[in-house]
Amino acid sequence: MTQEGVIKFQLDWHAGPVIACALRATLGHWRDVLHAHGLIGADPARYGGIGFGNVSCRCRGGFLITATQTGHLSTLAPEHFCQVTHWDIVHNRIYAEGPQPPSSEALSHAACYDAHPDICWVFHIHHPQLWRQAAALGFAATPPDAEYGTPAMALAVSDLAGKAHLPLFIRMTGHEDGLIAAGHSGMETCTLLLNKVAEAQASSALRR
């Protein structure tokens, strides 16, 4: 697998003030819930210590997303969010503004918003057990040759998201331990992820 957490797309980022978005606090709340469950974070024993996981929501004609390499923080501050204003998946480019650059998975988030007009929240987490069991549990999956942060991954996610009923859940096969969920609300999307984790844990317990 290639190194996690490294921005691969072409980034046109303009450093600026904290993003004024009414949903920022709510997005931060759900991100911190996922962090508390170990679905977002940073671990010296995994991925070379690089942070993993990110969340976003539609905002101001684009989407608000957690900034790159904030996974190690248990709680995020307002300066830890970035506004993606435009994107071009085919040409691998993200346009963004805010105090810090966007997450390295911003292109896949953009793909979800492009693919389905009712998707308003996208959460990307890492969970090795759920990722390994996803195929057995019948979850949709991207092709193994589509790596994180690339147009191939974004287009694969877009294809699956465009066909899905919400909330949706996708195994990112070419992104070690990576999973993505999207839905109408933060609560719906977070609940889906936590339920899937519980499902994987229950399935594993039954096989023992």
Side-chain angles (χ1 to χ4, degrees):
M1 296 287 179
T2 54
Q3 186 181 9
E4 303 291 323
V6 177
I7 291 176
K8 293 184 173 183
F9 48 76
Q10 299 176 64
L11 176 62
D12 187 342
W13 167 61
H14 296 277
V18 166
I19 303 300
C21 176
L23 294 172
R24 190 186 64 221
T26 305
L27 182 63
H29 165 74
W30 292 117
R31 181 268 177 197
D32 292 351
V33 169
L34 294 173
H35 186 280
H37 282 83
L39 304 177
I40 291 176
D43 183 344
R46 298 166 63 187
Y47 325 124
I50 297 294
F52 58 87
N54 38 76
V55 298
S56 71
C57 66
R58 286 192 189 268
C59 179
R60 295 169 49 188
F63 60 92
L64 187 70
I65 190 168
T66 44
T68 186
Q69 290 311 305
T70 53
H72 64 288
L73 301 171
S74 58
T75 300
L76 297 191
E79 62 267 24
H80 295 135
F81 296 88
C82 180
Q83 177 74 18
V84 173
T85 57
H86 301 86
W87 51 89
D88 184 336
I89 292 173
V90 173
H91 294 98
N92 199 32
R93 183 176 289 276
I94 288 284
Y95 301 82
E97 61 187 24
Q100 298 183 42
S103 161
S104 60
E105 201 55 64
L107 209 63
S108 291
H109 288 250
C112 288
Y113 295 121
D114 262 357
H116 204 305
D118 294 332
I119 289 177
C120 293
W121 300 74
V122 178
F123 295 168
H124 168 53
I125 59 102
H126 280 226
H127 191 276
Q129 182 184 41
L130 180 55
W131 188 79
R132 289 192 300 267
Q133 294 185 28
L137 293 171
F139 304 149
T142 59
D145 59 347
E147 297 182 357
Y148 89 91
T150 64
M153 174 63 81
L155 291 170
V157 168
S158 179
D159 181 61
L160 293 173
K163 301 172 183 175
H165 296 288
L166 298 187
L168 68 86
F169 180 83
I170 296 171
R171 178 188 194 257
M172 305 172 84
T173 309
H175 183 26
E176 185 178 4
D177 303 334
L179 304 137
I180 198 163
H184 302 91
S185 71
M187 177 175 287
E188 176 185 57
T189 309
C190 187
T191 298
L192 172 67
L193 280 176
L194 296 180
N195 285 345
K196 295 297 185 185
V197 169
E199 185 178 354
Q201 291 171 339
S203 176
S204 179
L206 286 173
R207 292 201 303 270
R208 290 175 186 162

